[in-house]
Every structure is written in structure tokens, then in C-alpha cells.
Amino acid sequence: MSLGWNYRLTDIQAALGASQLMRLPLFLARRRALAARYDEILADLPLIRPWQHPDCVSSWHLYVVQPDPRRTTVTRAMLYAGLRAAQIFAQVHYIPVHLQPWYQKLGFNLGDFLQAERYYEGALSLPIYYDLSDAEQDRVVEVLHALMKE
């Protein structure tokens, strides 16, 4: 039994990937614009938004928020269910490694890494992808506003 697999790209997959790399600056610029826009239009909600050191840049693969338990009783589960009901496909990323089945078999348990578990309990990834329109992003924020009214 082994921990994982080593999948290698086919030549066709590698060629497709190489061609997509030429568009990478365009993809990154759009994701950064979307993240900056989320930062601005979510600022009034009781959410913990992602932080980035000013000397660094991100590809914004994910835009993860958390309900701020000091300012709201709304939970991630409530936000997730409400967004899904509105056909907005937010995601939950990622289950802490020590809670994965392989590591559980090695003896790791719930409670072993409380900070990771607390983060996971609140973290919700909002839609962020190159083709996300401003109108679609506005709808995500509109639904979040409605869900967070207590």
C-alpha cells in the first residue's frame, strides 16, 4: 500500500498546458482584479478575508473567506447552503491532512491540530475564475449580504 500515485502528463496534455502558459499573464491579471474587487465589495460584511503581504503577489487560485465569529453567528455551513440554494457553487477547501483516511490509519485524530481544524470549520472558497463576470461576482456578494443579515 502506498500514499499516492505519480501521474505524468501525456504529450498532448503537455502541449495544451504549454499553449495555456502563453495566456497566463491574462489569466493572472483577471484573477487579481476579481480578488481586489472581492476585497472592496465584501469589506462591510463580517467576514475574514484573505490577507496578502504587500511585497508578495498571488495567483488567486482560491479566494477563501471565513465568517468572523466575533461579529456574526452565521456559520460556514449556513453560507455554503445558502449559496448552493442560489446556484452559486462555493467550495470547501481543504480537509486538514491529518483527517484524511490515510493519516487516520496512522493514528492521527480529530483534535490533534486544533488551529488547522478551526480554520477548516470556517473556510469557504468563493467563485473566482478567469471567466467570472463582474455581474456574476456582484450576485455572489448580493447573496452573501442577504445570508449574513441576522
Side-chain angles (χ1 to χ4, degrees), residues 39 58 86:
D39 282 344
S58 173

Side-chain angles (χ1 to χ4, degrees), residues 1-8:
M1 188 177 286
S2 63
L3 179 58
W5 303 94
N6 184 356
Y7 291 101
R8 290 182 173 82

Side-chain angles (χ1 to χ4, degrees), residues 11 19 39 53 55 63 72 76 89 113-114 119 126 129 133 138 141 147:
D11 289 347
S19 72
D39 282 344
H53 191 281
D55 294 340
Y63 189 91
T72 185
R76 178 199 58 195
F89 298 103
F113 299 95
L114 292 175
Y119 178 81
L126 299 181
Y129 51 92
S133 71
D138 288 341
V141 173
L147 292 169

Side-chain angles (χ1 to χ4, degrees), residues 1-73:
M1 188 177 286
S2 63
L3 179 58
W5 303 94
N6 184 356
Y7 291 101
R8 290 182 173 82
L9 296 175
T10 66
D11 289 347
I12 291 173
Q13 291 168 324
L16 179 60
S19 72
Q20 290 294 306
L21 282 175
M22 291 188 288
R23 298 183 62 199
L24 186 60
L26 183 66
F27 295 157
L28 292 176
R30 178 62 182 155
R31 284 178 174 270
R32 288 179 182 137
L34 288 166
R37 196 161 183 271
Y38 268 140
D39 282 344
E40 182 181 322
I41 58 182
L42 292 174
D44 63 329
L45 288 179
L47 292 171
I48 299 168
R49 291 174 283 124
W51 179 83
Q52 178 178 287
H53 191 281
D55 294 340
C56 297
V57 295
S58 173
S59 65
W60 293 105
H61 166 67
L62 300 174
Y63 189 91
V64 181
V65 297
Q66 300 175 68
D68 186 342
R70 297 168 304 199
R71 300 186 299 152
T72 185
T73 59

